[in-house]
Amino acid sequence: MAVMIVRAYEWQTGKKISEAGQNSFGDHAKINRWAQDAVGKGQQLGLISGRGHNQFVPQGMATRAESAKVISGLLK
């Protein structure tokens, strides 16, 4: 979801986000390498905030509410 939302943001704004800061999630090491950059960018943009206790839960399933929040942030 992080990769898709960042790509959608870049398409919508016409801006390529060149660098992302290191994401601050406690489970950063569990995020697949191919998605780490997008997670950092999404967090930097305020589109992704993770779950409680500073966890991203990369292997978890996003709830409908979490998905709606991410999409709503993109549309603002």
Side-chain angles (χ1 to χ4, degrees), residues 32-44:
N32 286 326
R33 291 184 93 106
W34 58 266
Q36 287 178 356
D37 187 54
V39 172
K41 289 176 181 178
Q43 188 178 32
Q44 176 183 337

Side-chain angles (χ1 to χ4, degrees), residues 11-73:
W11 179 82
Q12 178 185 34
T13 62
K15 299 176 190 174
K16 183 77 173 164
I17 303 162
S18 58
E19 286 197 33
Q22 180 72 16
N23 76 59
S24 63
F25 293 116
D27 56 354
H28 171 77
K30 294 180 182 177
I31 300 170
N32 286 326
R33 291 184 93 106
W34 58 266
Q36 287 178 356
D37 187 54
V39 172
K41 289 176 181 178
Q43 188 178 32
Q44 176 183 337
L45 292 167
L47 296 172
I48 298 170
S49 58
R51 294 187 177 165
H53 306 292
N54 196 34
Q55 299 293 301
F56 182 69
V57 191
Q59 302 304 319
M61 298 289 282
T63 66
R64 188 179 323 174
E66 290 167 336
S67 301
K69 182 177 182 238
V70 170
I71 293 168
S72 174

